[in-house]
Amino acid sequence: MMTCQDCCETIDQLIDERRLEEKTPELREHLSTCAACASYAASGMMLDAELRSMMLPEPTPELMASLSAIAITEPKPEPIAPFTAIPITEPEAAPSIDASSWMKDLAPGAAVLLPCVIVWGIAQFLPPTIQLLIQSVFTAVGAAAVFAALLRPRMLSY
């Protein structure tokens, strides 16, 4: 069963391709039972016929002369250099990852994050002023953690 949306899309496609006489049996059946789609098809055919009957304006001699001048004065584009193939080399071996090293780096962050998430979850049930206070504390702690992480390499290099 064809929907109205499918029908309208099919009608638009047939009008664009100038094949409106090639209606499928399914489209004919839908148009015979749906007044809105039949009206849409009729208005589309009428608009298409009106647009085809319109006379196209002739370009003025001044326009043609200016277009010719542009075509003459524009430099021709440079030809594109032929494609140069890049030789394929063997891929480098992927660096080995020590599983324990990234876990060690992740542990301090997880130790701070887990209590924060728990407190944040509990704070959702508290009055708004206390929620704001907790958010402010989290923001300050987060900023301190970021600054500490940024300064740590410098502090260790002295």
Side-chain angles (χ1 to χ4, degrees):
M1 179 83 186
M2 182 175 272
T3 65
C4 290
Q5 182 177 352
D6 294 337
C7 180
C8 291
E9 289 173 4
T10 304
I11 290 169
D12 289 341
Q13 182 180 7
L14 292 175
I15 288 174
D16 289 344
E17 296 172 0
R18 299 182 182 174
R19 302 182 305 129
L20 199 55
E21 63 280 347
E22 300 177 20
K23 297 177 190 167
T24 62
E26 190 178 24
L27 179 62
R28 289 178 201 265
E29 179 185 343
H30 185 84
L31 290 175
S32 66
T33 59
C34 181
C37 289
S39 173
Y40 181 80
S43 65
M45 290 183 343
M46 188 172 19
L47 177 63
D48 187 56
E50 287 178 24
L51 290 173
R52 287 183 202 284
S53 68
M54 293 177 70
M55 299 281 297
L56 294 177
E58 288 291 323
T60 63
E62 294 85 18
L63 175 64
M64 293 303 290
S66 66
L67 290 176
S68 297
I70 291 173
I72 292 170
T73 59
E74 285 288 317
K76 291 186 178 181
E78 294 292 322
I80 299 174
F83 176 73
T84 305
I86 299 172
I88 299 175
T89 59
E90 289 296 318
E92 296 178 12
S96 62
I97 298 174
D98 181 19
S100 63
S101 69
W102 68 268
M103 290 176 142
K104 289 176 188 172
D105 293 339
L106 190 61
V112 171
L113 184 63
L114 184 62
C116 290
V117 169
I118 291 170
V119 171
W120 179 83
I122 294 170
Q124 298 305 306
F125 300 103
L126 299 175
T129 53
I130 296 176
Q131 286 181 5
L132 184 61
L133 176 67
I134 291 172
Q135 289 173 353
S136 300
V137 169
F138 281 164
T139 303
V141 169
V146 168
F147 287 127
L150 291 173
L151 297 176
R152 188 167 93 186
R154 290 191 182 115
M155 290 168 47
L156 294 177
S157 65
Y158 291 121

